[in-house]
Amino acid sequence: MYASVKKLTGWYLGVGMVALFIGGAMGPLQKLEHVGINVYPALQNVGLNSYYQGLTIHGVLNALVWTTFFIVGFLTFATVNSLERDLTHPKLNWASFYIMVIGLVMAAVPVLLNTATVLFTFYPPLQASPFYYMGLTLVVVGSWVGGWGMFLTYYAWRKENPGVQTPFIALASNITMAMWQIATLGIATEMLWLIIPWSLGWVDGIDPQLARTFFWFTGHPIVYFWLLPAYVSWYGMVPKQVGGKLFSEPLARLVFWLFLLLSIPVGLHHQYLDPSVPAGWKIVHAVLTYSLFIPSLLTAFNIIASMEIGGRARGGTGLLGWIRALPWDNPSFTAQNLAMILFAFGGIGGLTNASYNLNLVIHNTMWIPGHFHLTVGSGVTLTFFGIAYWLVPKLANKPLFSNKVALWQAWTWFAGMLLMSNGLHILGLNFGSPRRTMLGVAPYASSDWQPLLIEAALGGIILGVSGLLFYTNMLGTVFSKKTLTEEIEMPVAEPLDPHPAPAWLDTWRPWVVATVVLILVSYGPLLVNLISNLNLTSPGFNALW
Amino acid sequence: MEKDKKYKAPQGTVALVILYVILIIALWGSAYLTMLARGGTIG
């Protein structure tokens, strides 16, 4: 079924997983460095020059490449299977893949040659090889093209099915890609107008403040670009996997529209410390950031209720007894449920660090990577692993290599991440230990940090082992000689209430217009101000490490 | 399922969400108190 999209999705996932393997391998090295085990000198022979080069590889390949490739592949697959209609322009979707791969190679080569050690946020005035920026830009452009392929397919389906409500999974996938198209206008502007001409030497200086503002225009919604595909699975697939139904489909649709509306005009909560951003705009973005708590809590309620339906249908009784009745022997479910639990803690950390005064204390500390690993490193990545446990066997037409190994993988990721993130959060909050820093050689490092750094390192090592278990399973599946006796179907949750959702939850125009208006109101005056006071004065700093 | 009728409304979910809200208040409050104990954002 839909052979073209199966192959395409397989390639997207494959490239993403290779990226995660390389990027993930850097993680335990960082944690070991923090406890004084510096392996970087020994790795110079293989081209790893410094902690900071490793950190750049870790961030770029994990946070940018693994996620984007998996998401574009998964959402394309989900759209086609949800609409039960093949891609209208498969060549366009393949073009998306090739553009992304070309971009990846262009960005990866300078990173591996240590000419782009600027971390994944690439804040100017740190300056990398222009190929790094052009490569990342192509990855984004490729993801846009993938989105266009999805939109055209959705549009064709709409023409063929007038008056029919869009299936939830297809709608949610397309809203996610629409949000991404709007959100990435910030980083596209930053790259094309400011950074690339500057890195090519066409202009002498850059305005770091304006560049950072454009970066965070995209930089926070990118979190939702990572997260919403996980929500597609949690809402649209997990209820089916647990034998339940989606508790409220209208509420699920509303949540996705709210994320379209609210994901973007919140970036300034990453810039509370930036002196050129007036406090008033920081307050506006802080309020909008907290408004994201509404769809988040609606999500928690709706998904847990859907699982409760499943648990009770499987014989679970009592107030919470249904939890034990859930299919904990299914690694796809277990990985995703553990991801949800870790993400719940990530959400609490996110709420906390979005408050202005606490943000002043923890912003540049280990708290942030602790939070980040609970969200993108767990809520997102562990969910993607859970999806891979049914999707890769389906794509390869082979059974999962080992259920048991997959279950161990999920639980070890859970345990490793709990240890690591707990250590990092406390280091940041209680001790102000800086992030993005070689703590192993920091003269100001306190002996009080040591137990927590050891805890984090232990967590990092467990995560490394867990990652190896994942790749063992993926390779074992793909290279297995067995074939499936029965095709795996994409799990699609039925709604508890079979009546269609209200029409306003299947209508694009008002939501897109409201999104654009809210962005213009929340970002427009600030951007006009920053642009009219443009200061292209800062030279680039490169070859620092 | 008959004896479980009273759980038709997702009461387990409501309990978990209430627990989550309590956790948010507790952990956020704890972080805030830690910040104050460190001298807040002054100095």
Side-chain angles (χ1 to χ4, degrees), chain A residues 214-281:
Chain A
F214 280 130
F215 179 86
W216 285 114
F217 183 100
T218 303
H220 196 76
I222 201 175
V223 174
Y224 291 99
F225 176 62
W226 297 329
L227 193 58
L228 292 184
Y231 281 13
V232 168
S233 179
W234 294 356
Y235 274 118
M237 300 175 185
V238 167
K240 172 78 172 176
Q241 290 177 300
V242 302
K245 294 188 174 184
L246 178 53
F247 181 75
S248 172
E249 198 188 87
L251 204 56
R253 289 169 189 263
L254 176 64
V255 160
F256 272 81
W257 288 122
L258 288 176
F259 277 119
L260 173 69
L261 183 68
L262 297 169
S263 290
I264 300 167
V266 296
L268 295 184
H269 76 248
H270 290 262
Q271 294 179 264
Y272 285 156
L273 296 172
D274 286 20
S276 312
V277 179
W281 290 114

Coordinates of all heavy atoms in Angstrom, one line a residue, chain A residues 214-281:
Chain A
F214 N 15.4 37.0 15.4 CA 14.9 36.1 14.3 C 15.1 34.6 14.7 O 14.2 33.8 14.3 CB 15.7 36.4 13.0 CG 15.2 37.6 12.3 CD1 16.1 38.6 11.9 CD2 13.9 37.8 12.0 CE1 15.7 39.8 11.2 CE2 13.4 39.0 11.3 CZ 14.3 39.9 11.0
F215 N 16.2 34.3 15.3 CA 16.4 32.9 15.7 C 15.3 32.4 16.6 O 14.8 31.3 16.3 CB 17.8 32.7 16.4 CG 18.1 31.3 16.8 CD1 18.6 30.4 15.9 CD2 17.7 30.8 18.0 CE1 18.8 29.1 16.2 CE2 17.9 29.5 18.4 CZ 18.5 28.6 17.5
W216 N 15.0 33.2 17.6 CA 14.0 32.7 18.5 C 12.6 32.8 18.0 O 11.6 32.2 18.6 CB 14.2 33.3 19.9 CG 15.4 32.7 20.6 CD1 16.5 33.4 20.9 CD2 15.5 31.4 21.0 NE1 17.4 32.5 21.4 CE2 16.8 31.2 21.5 CE3 14.7 30.2 20.9 CZ2 17.4 30.0 22.0 CZ3 15.2 29.0 21.4 CH2 16.5 28.9 21.9
F217 N 12.4 33.6 17.0 CA 11.1 33.6 16.3 C 10.8 32.1 15.8 O 9.7 31.6 15.9 CB 11.1 34.5 15.0 CG 9.9 34.6 14.3 CD1 9.0 35.7 14.4 CD2 9.5 33.6 13.3 CE1 7.8 35.8 13.7 CE2 8.3 33.7 12.6 CZ 7.5 34.8 12.8
T218 N 11.9 31.4 15.4 CA 11.7 30.0 15.0 C 12.1 29.1 16.1 O 11.5 28.0 16.2 CB 12.7 29.7 13.8 OG1 12.4 30.6 12.7 CG2 12.6 28.3 13.3
G219 N 12.9 29.5 17.0 CA 13.6 28.6 18.0 C 12.6 28.1 19.0 O 12.8 26.9 19.5
H220 N 11.5 28.8 19.4 CA 10.6 28.2 20.3 C 9.6 27.3 19.6 O 9.3 26.2 19.9 CB 9.9 29.1 21.3 CG 9.3 28.3 22.4 ND1 10.0 27.8 23.4 CD2 8.0 27.9 22.6 CE1 9.2 27.1 24.2 NE2 8.0 27.1 23.7
P221 N 9.0 27.9 18.5 CA 8.0 27.0 17.7 C 8.7 25.7 17.2 O 8.0 24.7 17.0 CB 7.5 27.8 16.6 CG 8.3 29.1 16.6 CD 8.9 29.2 18.0
I222 N 10.0 25.7 17.1 CA 10.7 24.4 16.6 C 10.4 23.4 17.7 O 10.3 22.2 17.4 CB 12.2 24.6 16.4 CG1 12.7 23.5 15.5 CG2 13.0 24.6 17.7 CD1 14.1 23.6 15.1
V223 N 10.3 23.8 19.0 CA 9.9 22.8 20.0 C 8.6 22.1 19.7 O 8.4 20.9 19.9 CB 9.9 23.5 21.4 CG1 9.4 22.6 22.5 CG2 11.3 24.1 21.7
Y224 N 7.7 22.9 19.2 CA 6.3 22.4 18.9 C 6.4 21.6 17.6 O 5.6 20.7 17.4 CB 5.3 23.5 19.0 CG 5.1 23.9 20.4 CD1 5.7 25.1 20.8 CD2 4.4 23.1 21.3 CE1 5.6 25.4 22.2 CE2 4.3 23.5 22.6 CZ 4.9 24.6 23.1 OH 4.8 25.0 24.4
F225 N 7.3 22.0 16.7 CA 7.5 21.2 15.5 C 7.9 19.8 15.9 O 7.6 18.8 15.3 CB 8.5 21.9 14.6 CG 8.8 21.1 13.3 CD1 7.8 20.8 12.4 CD2 10.1 20.7 13.1 CE1 8.1 20.1 11.2 CE2 10.4 20.0 11.9 CZ 9.4 19.7 11.0
W226 N 8.8 19.7 16.9 CA 9.2 18.4 17.4 C 8.1 17.7 18.1 O 7.9 16.5 18.0 CB 10.4 18.6 18.4 CG 11.6 19.2 17.9 CD1 12.1 19.1 16.6 CD2 12.6 20.0 18.6 NE1 13.3 19.8 16.4 CE2 13.6 20.4 17.6 CE3 12.7 20.5 19.9 CZ2 14.7 21.1 18.0 CZ3 13.8 21.2 20.2 CH2 14.8 21.6 19.3
L227 N 7.4 18.5 18.9 CA 6.4 17.9 19.9 C 5.1 17.4 19.2 O 4.5 16.4 19.5 CB 6.1 18.9 21.0 CG 5.4 18.4 22.2 CD1 6.2 17.2 22.8 CD2 5.2 19.5 23.2
L228 N 4.6 18.2 18.3 CA 3.3 18.0 17.7 C 3.2 16.6 17.0 O 2.2 15.9 17.0 CB 2.8 19.1 16.8 CG 2.5 20.4 17.5 CD1 1.9 21.5 16.6 CD2 1.5 20.2 18.7
P229 N 4.3 16.2 16.3 CA 4.2 14.8 15.7 C 4.1 13.7 16.8 O 3.4 12.7 16.6 CB 5.6 14.7 14.9 CG 5.9 16.1 14.6 CD 5.5 16.9 15.8
A230 N 4.7 14.0 17.9 CA 4.5 13.1 19.1 C 3.0 13.1 19.5 O 2.4 12.1 19.8 CB 5.4 13.4 20.2
Y231 N 2.5 14.3 19.5 CA 1.0 14.4 19.8 C 0.1 13.7 18.8 O -0.9 13.2 19.1 CB 0.6 15.9 19.9 CG 1.0 16.6 21.2 CD1 1.9 16.1 22.1 CD2 0.5 17.9 21.5 CE1 2.3 16.7 23.3 CE2 0.8 18.5 22.7 CZ 1.7 18.0 23.5 OH 2.0 18.6 24.7
V232 N 0.6 13.8 17.5 CA -0.2 13.1 16.5 C -0.3 11.6 16.9 O -1.4 11.0 16.8 CB 0.5 13.2 15.1 CG1 -0.1 12.2 14.1 CG2 0.4 14.6 14.6
S233 N 0.8 11.1 17.4 CA 0.8 9.6 17.8 C 0.0 9.5 19.1 O -0.8 8.5 19.2 CB 2.2 9.1 17.9 OG 2.2 7.8 18.3
W234 N 0.2 10.3 20.0 CA -0.4 10.2 21.3 C -1.9 10.3 21.2 O -2.7 9.5 21.8 CB 0.1 11.2 22.3 CG 1.5 11.1 22.7 CD1 2.4 10.1 22.3 CD2 2.2 12.0 23.5 NE1 3.6 10.4 22.9 CE2 3.6 11.5 23.6 CE3 1.9 13.2 24.2 CZ2 4.6 12.2 24.4 CZ3 2.9 13.9 24.9 CH2 4.2 13.4 25.0
Y235 N -2.4 11.2 20.4 CA -3.8 11.4 20.2 C -4.4 10.4 19.2 O -5.5 9.8 19.4 CB -4.1 12.8 19.6 CG -4.3 13.9 20.6 CD1 -3.4 15.0 20.6 CD2 -5.3 13.9 21.5 CE1 -3.5 16.0 21.5 CE2 -5.5 15.0 22.4 CZ -4.6 16.0 22.4 OH -4.7 17.1 23.2
G236 N -3.7 10.3 18.1 CA -4.3 9.6 16.9 C -4.0 8.1 16.9 O -4.7 7.4 16.1
M237 N -3.0 7.6 17.6 CA -2.6 6.2 17.5 C -2.5 5.5 18.8 O -3.0 4.3 18.8 CB -1.2 6.2 16.8 CG -1.2 6.8 15.4 SD 0.5 6.9 14.7 CE 0.1 7.9 13.2
V238 N -2.0 6.1 19.8 CA -1.9 5.3 21.1 C -3.2 4.8 21.6 O -3.3 3.7 22.1 CB -1.1 6.2 22.2 CG1 -1.3 5.6 23.6 CG2 0.3 6.4 21.8
P239 N -4.3 5.6 21.6 CA -5.6 5.1 22.1 C -5.9 3.7 21.4 O -6.4 2.8 22.0 CB -6.6 6.2 21.7 CG -5.8 7.4 21.7 CD -4.5 7.0 21.2
K240 N -5.7 3.6 20.1 CA -5.9 2.4 19.4 C -5.0 1.3 19.9 O -5.4 0.1 20.1 CB -5.7 2.6 17.9 CG -5.7 1.4 17.0 CD -7.1 0.9 16.8 CE -7.2 -0.2 15.8 NZ -8.5 -0.7 15.6
Q241 N -3.7 1.7 20.2 CA -2.7 0.7 20.6 C -3.1 0.1 22.0 O -2.7 -1.0 22.3 CB -1.3 1.3 20.6 CG -0.8 1.5 19.2 CD 0.6 2.2 19.3 OE1 0.7 3.3 19.8 NE2 1.6 1.6 18.7
V242 N -3.8 0.9 22.8 CA -4.1 0.4 24.1 C -5.5 -0.2 24.2 O -6.0 -0.6 25.2 CB -4.0 1.5 25.2 CG1 -2.6 2.1 25.3 CG2 -5.1 2.6 25.0
G243 N -6.2 -0.3 23.0 CA -7.5 -0.8 22.9 C -8.6 0.1 23.4 O -9.7 -0.3 23.8
G244 N -8.3 1.4 23.3 CA -9.3 2.4 23.8 C -9.8 3.2 22.6 O -9.6 2.8 21.4
K245 N -10.3 4.4 22.9 CA -10.8 5.3 21.9 C -10.3 6.7 22.3 O -10.1 7.0 23.5 CB -12.3 5.3 21.8 CG -12.8 3.9 21.2 CD -14.3 4.0 20.9 CE -14.7 2.6 20.3 NZ -16.1 2.6 19.8
L246 N -10.3 7.6 21.3 CA -9.9 9.0 21.6 C -11.0 9.6 22.4 O -12.2 9.7 21.9 CB -9.6 9.7 20.3 CG -9.2 11.2 20.5 CD1 -8.1 11.4 21.5 CD2 -8.8 11.8 19.1
F247 N -10.8 10.1 23.6 CA -11.8 10.5 24.5 C -12.6 11.7 23.9 O -13.8 11.7 23.9 CB -11.2 11.0 25.8 CG -12.2 11.5 26.8 CD1 -13.0 10.6 27.5 CD2 -12.3 12.8 27.1 CE1 -13.9 11.0 28.4 CE2 -13.2 13.3 28.0 CZ -14.1 12.4 28.7
S248 N -11.9 12.7 23.4 CA -12.6 13.8 22.7 C -11.8 14.2 21.5 O -10.8 14.9 21.6 CB -12.8 15.0 23.7 OG -13.3 16.1 22.9
E249 N -12.3 13.9 20.3 CA -11.6 14.3 19.1 C -11.8 15.8 18.8 O -10.8 16.4 18.4 CB -12.1 13.5 17.9 CG -11.2 13.6 16.7 CD -11.7 12.9 15.5 OE1 -12.4 13.6 14.7 OE2 -11.4 11.8 15.2
P250 N -12.9 16.4 19.1 CA -13.0 17.8 18.9 C -12.0 18.6 19.7 O -11.3 19.5 19.3 CB -14.4 18.2 19.3 CG -15.2 16.9 19.1 CD -14.2 15.8 19.4
L251 N -11.8 18.1 21.0 CA -10.8 18.8 21.8 C -9.4 18.6 21.3 O -8.6 19.5 21.3 CB -10.9 18.1 23.2 CG -10.4 18.9 24.4 CD1 -11.1 20.3 24.5 CD2 -10.6 18.2 25.7
A252 N -9.1 17.4 20.7 CA -7.8 17.2 20.1 C -7.6 18.1 18.9 O -6.5 18.7 18.7 CB -7.7 15.7 19.6
R253 N -8.6 18.3 18.1 CA -8.5 19.2 17.0 C -8.3 20.7 17.5 O -7.4 21.4 16.9 CB -9.7 19.2 16.1 CG -9.9 17.9 15.3 CD -11.3 17.8 14.7 NE -11.4 16.4 14.1 CZ -11.2 16.1 12.9 NH1 -10.9 17.0 12.0 NH2 -11.3 14.9 12.4
L254 N -9.0 21.0 18.5 CA -8.9 22.4 19.0 C -7.4 22.6 19.5 O -6.8 23.7 19.3 CB -9.9 22.6 20.2 CG -9.7 24.0 20.9 CD1 -10.1 25.1 20.0 CD2 -10.6 24.0 22.1
V255 N -6.9 21.6 20.2 CA -5.5 21.7 20.7 C -4.5 22.0 19.6 O -3.6 22.9 19.7 CB -5.1 20.4 21.5 CG1 -3.6 20.2 21.6 CG2 -5.8 20.4 22.8
F256 N -4.6 21.3 18.5 CA -3.7 21.6 17.4 C -3.9 23.0 16.8 O -2.9 23.6 16.5 CB -3.9 20.5 16.3 CG -3.0 19.3 16.5 CD1 -3.4 18.3 17.4 CD2 -1.7 19.2 16.0 CE1 -2.6 17.2 17.7 CE2 -0.9 18.1 16.2 CZ -1.3 17.1 17.1
W257 N -5.1 23.4 16.7 CA -5.3 24.8 16.2 C -4.7 25.8 17.2 O -4.1 26.8 16.8 CB -6.8 25.1 16.0 CG -7.4 24.4 14.8 CD1 -8.5 23.5 14.8 CD2 -7.0 24.5 13.4 NE1 -8.7 23.1 13.6 CE2 -7.9 23.7 12.7 CE3 -6.0 25.2 12.7 CZ2 -7.8 23.5 11.3 CZ3 -5.9 25.1 11.4 CH2 -6.8 24.3 10.7
L258 N -4.9 25.5 18.5 CA -4.3 26.4 19.5 C -2.8 26.5 19.4 O -2.1 27.5 19.6 CB -4.8 26.0 20.9 CG -6.2 26.3 21.2 CD1 -6.6 25.8 22.6 CD2 -6.5 27.8 21.1
F259 N -2.2 25.3 19.1 CA -0.7 25.3 19.0 C -0.3 26.1 17.7 O 0.7 26.7 17.7 CB -0.2 23.9 18.9 CG 0.0 23.3 20.3 CD1 -0.7 22.2 20.7 CD2 0.9 23.9 21.2 CE1 -0.5 21.6 22.0 CE2 1.1 23.4 22.5 CZ 0.4 22.2 22.9
L260 N -1.1 26.0 16.7 CA -0.8 26.8 15.5 C -0.8 28.3 15.9 O 0.1 29.1 15.5 CB -1.8 26.6 14.3 CG -1.7 27.5 13.1 CD1 -0.4 27.2 12.3 CD2 -2.9 27.3 12.2
L261 N -1.8 28.7 16.6 CA -2.0 30.1 17.0 C -1.0 30.6 18.0 O -0.5 31.7 17.8 CB -3.4 30.2 17.7 CG -3.9 31.6 18.1 CD1 -4.2 32.4 16.8 CD2 -5.2 31.4 18.9
L262 N -0.6 29.7 18.9 CA 0.2 30.2 20.1 C 1.7 29.8 20.1 O 2.5 30.3 20.9 CB -0.4 29.7 21.4 CG -1.9 30.2 21.6 CD1 -2.5 29.5 22.8 CD2 -1.9 31.7 21.9
S263 N 2.1 28.9 19.2 CA 3.5 28.4 19.2 C 4.5 29.5 18.9 O 5.6 29.5 19.4 CB 3.7 27.3 18.3 OG 3.0 26.1 18.7
I264 N 4.1 30.4 18.0 CA 5.1 31.3 17.4 C 5.3 32.6 18.2 O 6.5 33.0 18.5 CB 4.8 31.6 15.9 CG1 4.8 30.3 15.2 CG2 5.8 32.6 15.3 CD1 4.2 30.3 13.8
P265 N 4.3 33.3 18.6 CA 4.5 34.6 19.3 C 5.0 34.5 20.7 O 4.4 35.2 21.6 CB 3.2 35.3 19.2 CG 2.2 34.2 19.2 CD 2.8 33.0 18.6
V266 N 5.9 33.6 21.0 CA 6.4 33.4 22.4 C 7.9 33.4 22.5 O 8.5 33.2 23.6 CB 5.9 32.0 22.9 CG1 4.4 32.0 23.0 CG2 6.4 30.8 22.0
G267 N 8.6 33.7 21.4 CA 10.1 33.5 21.4 C 10.8 34.4 22.3 O 11.9 34.0 22.7
L268 N 10.3 35.5 22.7 CA 11.0 36.4 23.6 C 11.2 35.9 25.0 O 12.0 36.4 25.7 CB 10.3 37.8 23.6 CG 10.3 38.6 22.3 CD1 9.7 39.9 22.5 CD2 11.7 38.7 21.7
H269 N 10.5 34.8 25.3 CA 10.8 34.2 26.7 C 12.2 33.6 26.7 O 12.7 33.2 27.7 CB 9.7 33.3 27.2 CG 9.7 31.9 26.5 ND1 8.7 31.5 25.7 CD2 10.5 30.9 26.6 CE1 8.9 30.3 25.3 NE2 10.1 29.9 25.9
H270 N 12.8 33.4 25.5 CA 14.2 33.0 25.4 C 15.2 34.2 25.5 O 16.4 34.0 25.5 CB 14.5 32.2 24.1 CG 13.8 30.9 24.1 ND1 14.5 29.7 24.4 CD2 12.6 30.5 23.8 CE1 13.7 28.7 24.3 NE2 12.5 29.1 23.9
Q271 N 14.6 35.4 25.5 CA 15.4 36.6 25.4 C 15.2 37.5 26.6 O 15.4 38.7 26.5 CB 15.2 37.3 24.1 CG 15.6 36.5 22.9 CD 15.3 37.2 21.6 OE1 14.3 37.0 21.0 NE2 16.2 38.1 21.2
Y272 N 14.8 37.0 27.7 CA 14.5 37.8 28.9 C 15.8 38.6 29.3 O 15.7 39.7 29.9 CB 14.1 36.9 30.1 CG 12.7 36.4 30.1 CD1 12.4 35.2 30.8 CD2 11.7 37.0 29.4 CE1 11.1 34.7 30.8 CE2 10.4 36.5 29.4 CZ 10.1 35.4 30.1 OH 8.8 34.9 30.2
L273 N 16.9 38.0 29.0 CA 18.2 38.7 29.4 C 18.7 39.6 28.3 O 19.8 40.2 28.5 CB 19.3 37.6 29.7 CG 19.0 36.7 30.9 CD1 20.0 35.6 31.0 CD2 18.9 37.5 32.2
D274 N 18.1 39.7 27.2 CA 18.6 40.5 26.1 C 18.2 42.0 26.4 O 17.1 42.4 26.5 CB 18.0 40.1 24.8 CG 18.6 38.8 24.3 OD1 19.1 38.1 25.1 OD2 18.5 38.5 23.1
P275 N 19.2 42.9 26.5 CA 19.0 44.2 26.9 C 18.2 45.1 25.9 O 17.5 46.0 26.3 CB 20.4 44.8 27.1 CG 21.3 43.9 26.2 CD 20.7 42.6 26.2
S276 N 18.3 44.8 24.6 CA 17.6 45.6 23.6 C 16.1 45.3 23.4 O 15.5 45.9 22.5 CB 18.3 45.5 22.3 OG 19.7 45.7 22.4
V277 N 15.6 44.3 24.1 CA 14.2 44.0 24.0 C 13.5 44.6 25.1 O 13.7 44.3 26.3 CB 14.0 42.4 24.0 CG1 12.5 42.1 23.9 CG2 14.8 41.7 22.9
P278 N 12.6 45.5 24.8 CA 11.9 46.2 25.9 C 11.1 45.3 26.8 O 10.6 44.3 26.3 CB 10.9 47.2 25.1 CG 11.5 47.3 23.8 CD 12.2 46.0 23.5
A279 N 11.0 45.6 28.1 CA 10.4 44.7 29.1 C 8.9 44.4 28.7 O 8.4 43.3 28.9 CB 10.5 45.3 30.4
G280 N 8.3 45.4 28.1 CA 6.8 45.3 27.8 C 6.6 44.1 26.8 O 5.7 43.3 27.0
W281 N 7.5 44.0 25.8 CA 7.3 42.9 24.9 C 7.7 41.5 25.5 O 7.1 40.5 25.2 CB 8.2 43.1 23.6 CG 7.6 44.2 22.8 CD1 8.2 45.4 22.6 CD2 6.3 44.3 22.2 NE1 7.3 46.2 21.9 CE2 6.2 45.5 21.6 CE3 5.3 43.3 22.1 CZ2 5.0 45.9 20.9 CZ3 4.1 43.7 21.4 CH2 4.0 45.0 20.8

